[in-house]
Amino acid sequence: MKVDLALVGGGLANSLIAYRLHAARPDVNLHVLERGPTLGGNHTWSFHDSDLSADQRAWLQPLIEASWPRHELRFPKRHRVMQGAYNSVSSERLHHVVGQALDGQCTFHAEVTAVEPHRVELADGRVIEARAVIDGRGDPGGRHLDVAFQKFLGRFVRLERDHGLDGPILMDATVPQVDGYRFMYALPFATRE
């Protein structure tokens, strides 16, 4: 297969690159290679409207699963409601919107064995030749980036009663502070979710 651009990995970064490039330059022949069964994995990404320009927010609009006009911050002895839209994109929504836009330009369950600036090899023997390759699989072991980490555990909860939240809690640091700085946040996707 020959393409203009091969994107290795179908996470958030490569999905957004492919989505935007496809919309702005449909003449560019691109192809996304994803090891898993869907784009985006199993994640929820969130951002403030103020993080983006109006144009950036507009092209991301189809990806937004939920949006709220304000959010809360909670600390011991402090509580504040902040105005300004906060938005979330789910991996399911990302896969649906981007996958539909890139109809036929994604290969799933693609086990990549080699990546070069103009070529990608797959475990099944296929070779993709490209004018350029973007490897979006992350840093392969600290060779190029000095990275750190944060621990994150996300849970989707369906409740028996309404939770009563009218917006997200982006930081609730009133939880016990054990083994480092801890906080919880809640994204009320529906009255019981």
Side-chain angles (χ1 to χ4, degrees):
M1 173 188 295
K2 290 187 177 183
V3 297
D4 294 320
L5 177 64
L7 298 108
V8 181
L12 179 65
N14 273 358
S15 290
L16 291 180
I17 291 168
Y19 180 64
R20 183 65 176 143
L21 186 58
H22 178 72
R25 292 282 312 274
D27 58 304
V28 173
N29 181 13
L30 62 86
H31 200 84
V32 178
L33 301 159
E34 168 53 40
R35 177 178 57 189
T38 62
L39 298 171
N42 182 20
H43 300 282
T44 300
W45 302 276
S46 299
F47 63 95
H48 298 273
D49 265 7
S50 60
D51 294 336
L52 305 174
S53 70
D55 288 343
Q56 292 168 330
R57 174 68 167 76
W59 72 261
L60 278 177
Q61 180 59 43
L63 301 173
I64 297 172
E65 181 86 21
S67 187
W68 305 273
R70 67 190 150 283
H71 60 276
E72 290 183 55
L73 304 172
R74 297 179 181 179
F75 294 93
K77 302 180 185 176
R78 299 279 189 268
H79 175 261
R80 188 165 185 185
V81 175
M82 305 290 291
Q83 298 301 317
Y86 191 71
N87 313 278
S88 287
V89 175
S90 68
S91 52
E92 293 86 3
R93 181 76 165 242
L94 179 91
H95 175 74
H96 174 75
V97 172
V98 175
Q100 191 171 32
L102 298 179
D103 184 33
Q105 294 177 284
C106 297
T107 298
F108 298 101
H109 305 287
E111 198 61 44
V112 172
T113 57
V115 176
E116 297 174 17
H118 301 285
R119 174 173 209 274
V120 179
E121 293 180 24
L122 302 173
D124 63 10
R126 286 181 290 165
V127 173
I128 287 103
E129 295 179 19
R131 291 176 56 199
V133 175
I134 297 176
D135 189 347
R137 297 174 298 173
D139 183 42
R143 295 180 302 173
H144 305 292
L145 300 172
D146 182 17
V147 297
F149 69 94
Q150 73 180 48
K151 297 175 187 176
F152 177 82
L153 173 65
R155 292 277 190 234
F156 178 83
V157 180
R158 189 165 283 121
L159 306 169
E160 291 180 10
R161 294 187 312 260
D162 293 357
H163 49 64
L165 295 173
D166 64 355
I169 303 169
L170 297 194
M171 184 174 290
D172 183 347
T174 62
V175 299
Q177 299 297 307
V178 180
D179 189 30
Y181 180 63
R182 290 186 176 213
F183 64 90
M184 294 180 61
Y185 70 90
L187 302 174
F189 288 107
T191 58
R192 295 187 181 186
E193 296 177 354

